[in-house]
Amino acid sequence: MRKTILFLTFAIISTLSFGQNLDDLDSYTVDEFYKKVELDYGTLDEDGNEIEYIYVKTEVDKGDYKINLTDGDGDLYEVKDTNLFIKFNGYFGYAGYSKECIMKVEYYKSTVYKLE
């Protein structure tokens, strides 16, 4: 019984701390998720230029994630401390070194909400 009460208390506190109303935040629709793949030394592109890595489309498990975004190559944004990159449908703006966000991944749609 005591474990059940302790678990319920923890669940309620977790919900209250993460239960921010997302409708009040700036939201951005994700176009695609990518992962960065390092290539072998000496790999060339179609023009014969050496390349070190490529970005490959990937899937992300459904759920809510607290993330930090940083600017990546081109139109990509890097999820800090991961190998995951995001391309948005519209303009996300400057993320700089770190922009705290919530990422909501659903079956047909993914959205990133800026917390700052």
Side-chain angles (χ1 to χ4, degrees), residues 9-25 62-68 100-105 111-115:
T9 303
F10 177 74
I12 290 169
I13 290 171
S14 297
T15 302
L16 292 175
S17 64
F18 193 69
Q20 183 173 3
N21 186 357
L22 297 178
D23 294 335
D24 297 338
L25 302 174
K62 183 179 171 184
D64 295 343
Y65 303 88
K66 191 167 187 180
I67 62 171
N68 288 301
E100 191 173 5
C101 302
I102 294 175
M103 182 171 70
K104 188 174 188 72
V105 179
T111 307
V112 172
Y113 300 88
K114 282 185 185 177
L115 292 176

Side-chain angles (χ1 to χ4, degrees), residues 31-35 55-59:
D31 183 30
E32 294 288 344
F33 292 108
Y34 294 89
K35 65 179 176 179
Y55 295 101
V56 178
K57 283 185 185 180
T58 191
E59 306 252 334

Side-chain angles (χ1 to χ4, degrees), residues 18 21 36 40 57 62 64 68 71 73 79 82 90 94 110:
F18 193 69
N21 186 357
K36 186 176 186 178
D40 293 336
K57 283 185 185 180
K62 183 179 171 184
D64 295 343
N68 288 301
D71 291 323
D73 293 337
V79 177
T82 71
Y94 178 71
S110 299

Side-chain angles (χ1 to χ4, degrees), residues 48-60:
N49 298 316
E50 191 169 324
I51 56 175
E52 298 174 14
Y53 53 85
I54 59 172
Y55 295 101
V56 178
K57 283 185 185 180
T58 191
E59 306 252 334
V60 175

Side-chain angles (χ1 to χ4, degrees), residues 1-12:
M1 177 70 172
R2 187 176 181 134
K3 287 183 182 181
T4 304
I5 292 172
L6 182 63
F7 175 75
L8 289 175
T9 303
F10 177 74
I12 290 169

